[in-house]
Amino acid sequence: DAKTTQPNSMESNEEEPVHLPCNHSTISGTDYIHWYRQLPSQGPEYVIHGLTSNVNNRMASLAIAEDRKSSTLILHRATLRDAAVYYCILRGSAGSARQLTFGSGTQLTVLP
Amino acid sequence: NAGVTQTPKFQVLKTGQSMTLQCAQDMNHEYMSWYRQDPGMGLRLIHYSVGAGITDQGEVPNGYNVSRSTTEDFPLRLLSAAPSQTSVYFCASSAKQGVNTGELFFGEGSRLTVL
């Protein structure tokens, strides 16, 4: 099964960029890379996803390595409201449980 | 739009009791799934469904049953509650990956305590 590996925790200063890494060395060609975040006492929420090319949206940017074995979620200017657990998961086109499996995620602490 | 609705938000059970956590979505999503989240841990997949009439097990299915008689609803049944099932339960739905974003939409969670 394709799995992802993330650091348990990271810290950032407010208003500075944050780079959250994710390794997915067994990714298959049809797997999309999704990022979600979970604020305290809430359900996870979608952040961004991509397949091969780097992606930008209003929340973040996603940089995908050329071999697709790793990716990085970039928060351009961290705010206190970005303190959350960030999950990187792989979603394939087939209907398998593999695509819905979350790891432990990265706990991001934002320091004022 | 209501999105994904879970009920109840809080529940206390005694060991051995049974109950059903309800999950409904109004986005016509094919995929629905149930997760549990224990304190300080990530989400673990319990059961999932890729469409009405189709369900399958996730990582931690023991002690739980599901059914998917309609596209909208995906109830999770605890057959005989145990203290180890004390957790926060999240329901999620999505369109198939490749249709729109395949984004997972989560409910607000149901906090279950088994005494």
Side-chain angles (χ1 to χ4, degrees), chain B residues 60-113:
Chain B
V60 288
N62 293 339
Y64 307 94
N65 273 357
V66 292
S67 59
R68 185 93 180 271
S69 56
T70 67
T71 299
E72 296 78 17
D73 300 299
F74 191 45
L76 178 72
R77 298 183 185 85
L78 281 70
L79 308 173
S80 177
S84 61
Q85 294 179 304
T86 294
S87 190
V88 181
Y89 292 83
F90 290 100
C91 178
S93 76
S94 75
K96 290 180 183 178
Q97 178 66 64
V99 176
N100 298 322
T101 67
E103 172 187 348
L104 284 164
F105 291 82
F106 284 83
E108 294 183 348
S110 298
R111 185 175 297 274
L112 175 67
T113 301

Side-chain angles (χ1 to χ4, degrees), chain A residues 61-76:
Chain A
S61 295
L62 176 61
I64 301 172
E66 194 169 338
D67 63 5
R68 299 207 331 122
K69 293 185 177 182
S70 65
S71 62
T72 302
L73 179 70
I74 303 166
L75 307 179
H76 295 288

Side-chain angles (χ1 to χ4, degrees), chain B residues 2-13:
Chain B
V4 178
T5 303
Q6 291 184 232
T7 57
K9 288 186 170 50
F10 300 94
Q11 182 71 49
V12 179
L13 291 177

